[in-house]
Amino acid sequence: QAAADPRSSSDAPEDGPKETSSVSQNISDADAFKILLEMKMKKRQKMPTLPSTVTELDTEDGSKVYVVGTAHFSDSSKKDVVKTIQEVQPDVVVVELCQYRVSMLKMDEKTLLKEAKEINLEKLQQAIKQNGVMSGLMQMLLLKVSAHITEQLGMAPGGEFREAFKEASKVPFCKFHLGDRPIPVTFKRAIAALSFWQKVKLAWGLCFLSDPISKDDVEKCKQKDLLEQMMAEMIGEFPDLHRTIVSERDIYLTYMLKQAAKQIELPRASETEPRKYIPAVVVGVVGMGHVPGIEKNWNSDLNIQEIISVPPPSASSKIFKFVIKATVFGLMGYGCYRIGQRTVQFILSMPAAQSYLQKLTEIRSPH
């Protein structure tokens, strides 16, 4: 702002603003870019003081990635994210979100708190329409887990992602990337990994989750994200489910962080000037439960094609889907039958109807 509007300086000599103003009008976009980039580099700490929840990773071309491990319902995690971004002044910020959950970045805390607590028929219909019957039901059950934590703590989830979004907007030339695998893919792969009885057992466990949670519990779980820890306890006997919900997403997040950490191109004064690149600085904001997996996969050659494909539904999935549909339609049919039965009984109990039936009986009876 000072470079763009030098007249804001009260100590400038009388003829200073005119001279500087003419210079600022003639400055090229490339020069302006260089000035802002230099300001950013001066602000960037060469030896940053980072929270203990930050893991530093390097790429072969010298780029640095700072992975902030967070608990999704923690005020302390929000502060860790803000401090890290301010210290390292990144070129890219990557968060553990996909396009299906990006709306939470621009909602205020009050609206999010209300949304997180409300699980209604409309949300269920939307989830089923978006992900299919089985995956939609699974998503709603997981939302119920999240809503339970929200209600216990009075705190909306994803606060660290909203802080990352706000802080990234304050850093010059900082890009904001969504680094998580799309939710429909995750749920469909998770459903496909379970047998019929495993689906029933998991759904039962999620439906009856009601253990009390305190803010102290959240901070104690700082080394392993609370939501994922609760899920891990429930799905411990389902290793295939853990693979699809946690391990595969570790690979996907690692891949996205490495893509974000590619060298950045410096501005050029003209098209003839040769291209110059410098190592990038990236901040990743992910649940603490994903950090060990990201470290483990960091130096591996990753191929995400297999883990973003959706397998065809298994026989057990088809059976479970049929049972769910049959149950829903059966309940609807029974409801219509009961309503119709009560309606007929009510009509027959009316005096006018009884009088009409008596006359009809007299007409039909022999004289």
Side-chain angles (χ1 to χ4, degrees), residues 12-265:
E14 188 173 344
D15 60 343
K18 293 179 183 177
E19 183 182 348
T20 313
S21 179
S22 65
V23 171
S24 64
Q25 288 175 359
N26 295 328
I27 194 169
S28 67
D29 289 343
D31 289 337
F33 189 102
K34 286 179 180 177
I35 292 170
L36 286 171
L37 190 61
E38 285 174 8
M39 291 170 62
K40 174 179 175 176
M41 293 302 181
K42 285 179 181 177
K43 195 174 179 182
R44 179 180 286 172
Q45 300 296 319
K46 292 183 179 179
M47 298 291 290
T49 305
L50 300 173
S52 59
T53 53
V54 176
T55 301
E56 185 178 336
L57 300 168
D58 299 304
T59 66
E60 293 178 356
D61 56 21
S63 295
K64 287 191 176 295
V65 178
Y66 299 93
V67 182
V68 188
T70 67
H72 294 319
F73 292 84
S74 168
D75 282 327
S76 177
S77 286
K78 296 180 190 178
K79 295 174 183 175
D80 290 352
V81 170
V82 171
K83 181 174 177 59
T84 304
I85 293 176
Q86 289 177 349
E87 286 279 316
V88 306
Q89 293 289 296
D91 303 301
V92 186
V93 171
V94 181
V95 295
E96 185 198 329
L97 286 177
C98 69
Q99 64 266 37
Y100 294 92
R101 293 183 291 160
V102 73
S103 59
M104 73 160 57
L105 294 175
K106 295 186 178 181
M107 287 187 188
D108 61 85
E109 194 79 10
K110 187 178 179 181
T111 305
L112 273 165
L113 199 58
K114 184 181 177 183
E115 284 281 322
K117 288 180 180 179
E118 290 181 354
I119 298 180
N120 49 38
L121 185 60
E122 184 181 348
K123 283 188 177 180
L124 176 59
Q125 289 173 336
Q126 185 180 357
I128 290 175
K129 184 178 179 181
Q130 186 182 88
N131 306 317
V133 176
M134 288 304 307
S135 300
L137 289 171
M138 179 66 73
Q139 182 178 347
M140 290 308 296
L141 288 172
L142 290 173
L143 280 176
K144 181 181 179 294
V145 176
S146 180
H148 169 64
I149 301 173
T150 299
E151 187 175 2
Q152 293 279 317
L153 301 181
M155 183 188 299
E160 73 274 33
F161 302 138
R162 289 188 292 283
E163 290 298 327
F165 183 66
K166 284 189 281 188
E167 287 301 316
S169 68
K170 300 174 186 177
V171 179
F173 314 113
C174 181
K175 297 178 182 178
F176 190 85
H177 289 185
L178 303 176
D180 203 2
R181 183 173 65 179
I183 265 189
V185 175
T186 297
F187 282 124
K188 285 174 183 176
R189 288 185 63 83
I191 291 298
L194 296 176
S195 68
F196 172 76
W197 291 113
Q198 285 177 327
K199 292 182 180 77
V200 173
K201 195 170 184 179
L202 178 64
W204 182 267
L206 290 170
C207 282
F208 293 94
L209 177 74
S210 58
D211 294 336
I213 303 160
S214 68
K215 288 188 177 182
D216 288 338
D217 291 331
V218 178
E219 294 307 323
K220 286 176 185 176
C221 294
K222 193 71 176 294
Q223 296 307 311
K224 192 171 185 182
D225 179 64
L226 179 64
L227 183 58
E228 287 176 5
Q229 177 163 320
M230 294 177 71
M231 284 299 302
E233 290 173 358
M234 286 185 290
I235 66 177
E237 56 191 292
F238 311 134
D240 289 334
L241 190 61
H242 185 274
R243 172 178 54 80
T244 54
I245 291 181
V246 180
S247 301
E248 287 184 358
R249 287 172 60 226
D250 289 346
I251 295 171
Y252 191 91
L253 287 164
T254 306
Y255 179 84
M256 295 302 287
L257 285 168
K258 292 178 84 169
Q259 289 297 305
K262 290 184 176 179
Q263 290 190 329
I264 59 173
E265 183 182 351

Side-chain angles (χ1 to χ4, degrees), residues 269-290:
S270 66
E271 291 295 325
T272 57
E273 186 178 336
R275 297 177 184 273
K276 294 180 181 178
Y277 297 87
I278 60 171
V281 173
V282 177
V283 170
V285 182
V286 304
M288 181 60 78
H290 289 293

